Amino acid sequence: MRGRPRDPRVEEAILRATLDLLAESGYTRLSIEAVARRAAVSRPTVYLRWRSKAHLVHEAVFPDMTAEELPVPANATFAEDVRHLVDGAVVYLSRPEVLAATPALMAEFADDPQLHRLMAARLDDRIRARLREHVAGAVARGEVRAGLDADVLLDAITGSVLFMLLIRPADAHRFAGALTDLLLHGLLTP
Amino acid sequence: MRGRPRDPRVEEAILRATLDLLAESGYTRLSIEAVARRAAVSRPTVYLRWRSKAHLVHEAVFPDMTAEELPVPANATFAEDVRHLVDGAVVYLSRPEVLAATPALMAEFADDPQLHRLMAARLDDRIRARLREHVAGAVARGEVRAGLDADVLLDAITGSVLFMLLIRPADAHRFAGALTDLLLHGLLTP
Amino acid sequence: MRGRPRDPRVEEAILRATLDLLAESGYTRLSIEAVARRAAVSRPTVYLRWRSKAHLVHEAVFPDMTAEELPVPANATFAEDVRHLVDGAVVYLSRPEVLAATPALMAEFADDPQLHRLMAARLDDRIRARLREHVAGAVARGEVRAGLDADVLLDAITGSVLFMLLIRPADAHRFAGALTDLLLHGLLTP
Amino acid sequence: MRGRPRDPRVEEAILRATLDLLAESGYTRLSIEAVARRAAVSRPTVYLRWRSKAHLVHEAVFPDMTAEELPVPANATFAEDVRHLVDGAVVYLSRPEVLAATPALMAEFADDPQLHRLMAARLDDRIRARLREHVAGAVARGEVRAGLDADVLLDAITGSVLFMLLIRPADAHRFAGALTDLLLHGLLTP
DNA sequence: TTTTAAGCGAGACGGTACGTCCAGTCTTAAG
DNA sequence: CTTAAGACTGGACGTACCGTCTCGCTTAAAA
């Protein structure tokens, strides 16, 4: 490690400012200029760490956590697990910074394949991998229909909740239960 | 109607340019400046018709169609209908302009409640209303579990497909079938 | 002529601010940023008219005058004319804006051939052309040695005065007389 | 003398890089950053030796030579000496680094009085002092008009040549002779 | 020999300015 | 009397350098 080491307080202050501004003003109105100002840091210092607003926001909203992440609680039954997953998705995605950042970052994918890869990989490593194992266990125990694709389940949970929160947030409180039932039992009469 | 009449070709050219640029460069890189340039029109001419980039894109990507829209085909069984809905969502949301515009417009909701209302209403009037009737019929015929919320179903289909297309488009071809099965039968073993 | 016409007060204010800042802070410390601020104008508005700091300063310090320029006064004798030319050069080049701008613009020639051509041409059209005629007349009258090159004379006057003002301005008040004598009679004993 | 001694190759490399970049790109485009890069040296190392770009360039272009400098050749007649001085000025000031640096350094005088003093003193000690003696001798011998100011003569030579080289270098080859004649004999008919 | 002061490279950092792009609003002439 | 084009303010972009700083490592004279 050569050269003057980075001051960790700088990084903290920038990420903190990013989250605050995201929650206050949304993604579009967030500017690197404003983040730097709020963090009492110069603009070039921000660019020293993140190549763009999108990367900065990604880091702030989806930090590269290790194992202490929320993931896949182990309850008595897989049905309970699904219920917890859906509830967790609603809670997490409802946070103003997260709700503001997620669709915006996805909109940037077209312009920034690197961001796409980074975000997909982070989700994959953290969440999908565990859910796959979890589903495999439940299938082995006979709880879950063989052939269930864990990735499809995750997309169904995350995508449905996100879309609902964005397009008709008034229904958020009733949504989790209904979605859970749909995913567990399907819509056809038995 | 006094004064010089609007040239209808101007409107066409602007919307055409918007769709082209969306598909080519994505939402972020699309600017009203660039649209005006491509449409061989001045910037104020665009502002005369649409209040912002978001409204312009909304008009271009989700035009205010009447009844000739794709929605809710009536097949022999409701299961068939669901399958068609999912397939249709994949096809429609895969179009580059649509895929680029949708998350971006959703990201603008925070800054522009009017846009939010407009987009939600358009979806509601066109699609949700019909799906509600359709579900009611299927429930009455005993095909579908009583208590199924048509809005939840729609969010589940649209949200899941959109999320999948954005985050891991490589799986698009296998997704529709798996999602349809999950929605029809649920994930638990019968 | 379509569109909104340029506001002439904008041009005035920018040139005025440029001259003021030149005199106050010199060329290096002058920034387009500061000029815009002082002129109460936005930076892009400055760039709308001049491509660089050098071109702006050139316009401000050496405006494209027509005939009302100082040039080549017609006195009783050519010797008197030379004396006036030297005095005029001292007075003009002593002005802080001019003294600050001239060497700086010349230093930019290496980077900006267009500026070089512009500045040379402006000097040529305004001053050199007239001095050539004037010298020709004096030669015809027998006042001046045949073969005197008017351009060399101009360079000798301007260059000597400028160099002196820059390198040892303390001598400015004694310089004009000494230089005039040297140019008129030469340094050799008769 | 404690501590690690300075590596003399570092100084050399920096000055070499400075001269090269001056000749290639001119003074404005020269940056300490670029010099350091070219000399394979870190930026702080440059600042360890010179306070600014101007001082660095001054050192590179006008090094503090002692007696082996070009000045004031002693020929048979003073007229010959003048001719040599003018020719020497043309040759020296034509070198690209010198021609690029000279006006730029003069432009910095306004911001940096120390640089002004340094440069004036170096010229004074090296050249003016000798020329004064030389002129005194020629006056004593009766070759040169009494009252000739050696400093004015030096300014006339240096300033005229420099101005000509900067503003209309195309005439460089014809200039020396014409200027010499003018300085020796004056412009009036005898 | 072991200090120990300086040289040096690398990089971080707060600044300032750059030149550009775009957003919106205005002013004017054309239709 | 609206449409349409250019001028204009203003904000932000991403980059280049500046000059200073903190490190860690190297070098060689002094202790």
Side-chain angles (χ1 to χ4, degrees), chain A residues 169-182:
Chain A
D171 264 27
H173 62 288
R174 303 197 271 101
F175 190 81
L179 180 64
T180 305
D181 283 352
L182 178 57

Side-chain angles (χ1 to χ4, degrees), chain B residues 36-136:
Chain B
R37 209 157 38 223
R38 171 84 65 116
V41 142
S42 79
R43 203 142 35 85
T45 297
V46 179
Y47 281 104
L48 217 52
R49 294 166 164 77
W50 295 280
R51 358 183 0 268
S52 72
K53 174 167 119 173
H55 284 260
L56 168 59
V57 166
H58 179 244
E59 180 83 17
V61 173
F62 303 111
D64 195 4
M65 299 171 164
T66 43
E68 65 273 22
E69 185 65 359
L70 63 124
V72 190
N75 301 282
T77 65
F78 191 78
E80 277 307 298
D81 291 347
V82 170
R83 193 168 306 279
H84 276 89
L85 277 173
V86 173
D87 288 345
V90 171
V91 168
Y92 182 61
L93 294 173
S94 292
R95 286 166 50 194
E97 329 86 76
V98 180
L99 198 57
T102 309
L105 291 179
M106 289 176 152
E108 303 275 16
F109 287 170
D111 286 337
D112 188 342
Q114 186 186 329
L115 178 70
H116 187 180
R117 262 173 280 132
L118 183 61
M119 202 160 152
R122 200 161 281 188
L123 179 67
D124 225 69
D125 299 348
R126 284 203 252 144
I127 319 275
R128 299 196 116 105
R130 303 207 191 186
L131 188 62
R132 277 187 214 112
E133 291 175 34
H134 216 70
V135 165

Side-chain angles (χ1 to χ4, degrees), chain C residues 2-4 6-7 42 44-45 49:
Chain C
R2 312 287 293 276
R4 177 178 175 177
R6 290 192 175 171
D7 185 340
S42 74
T45 297
R49 289 150 212 264

Side-chain angles (χ1 to χ4, degrees), chain B residues 9-53:
Chain B
R9 286 168 312 173
V10 166
E11 190 144 341
E12 264 172 59
I14 295 173
L15 291 172
R16 178 81 261 135
T18 302
L19 289 174
D20 290 353
L21 286 172
L22 261 183
E24 286 169 24
S25 337
Y27 183 87
T28 302
R29 284 215 265 263
L30 177 98
S31 70
I32 292 204
E33 175 84 20
V35 168
R37 209 157 38 223
R38 171 84 65 116
V41 142
S42 79
R43 203 142 35 85
T45 297
V46 179
Y47 281 104
L48 217 52
R49 294 166 164 77
W50 295 280
R51 358 183 0 268
S52 72
K53 174 167 119 173

Side-chain angles (χ1 to χ4, degrees), chain A residues 21-70:
Chain A
L21 287 172
L22 258 185
E24 286 170 27
S25 331
Y27 183 88
T28 302
R29 284 213 269 262
L30 177 96
S31 69
I32 290 198
E33 174 84 19
V35 167
R37 209 155 41 221
R38 171 85 65 116
V41 141
S42 74
R43 200 144 37 94
T45 296
V46 179
Y47 283 105
L48 211 55
R49 288 151 212 266
W50 296 282
R51 16 192 335 282
S52 72
K53 178 167 115 172
H55 284 259
L56 168 60
V57 167
H58 178 246
E59 181 84 16
V61 173
F62 304 111
D64 196 3
M65 298 171 165
T66 42
E68 66 273 22
E69 184 64 1
L70 63 121

Side-chain angles (χ1 to χ4, degrees), chain B residues 148-172:
Chain B
L148 174 70
D149 185 325
D151 291 324
V152 173
L153 177 59
L154 186 71
D155 294 343
I157 294 172
T158 316
S160 304
V161 168
L162 183 59
F163 189 81
M164 177 277 299
L165 286 174
L166 287 167
I167 206 80
R168 49 185 198 101
D171 263 27

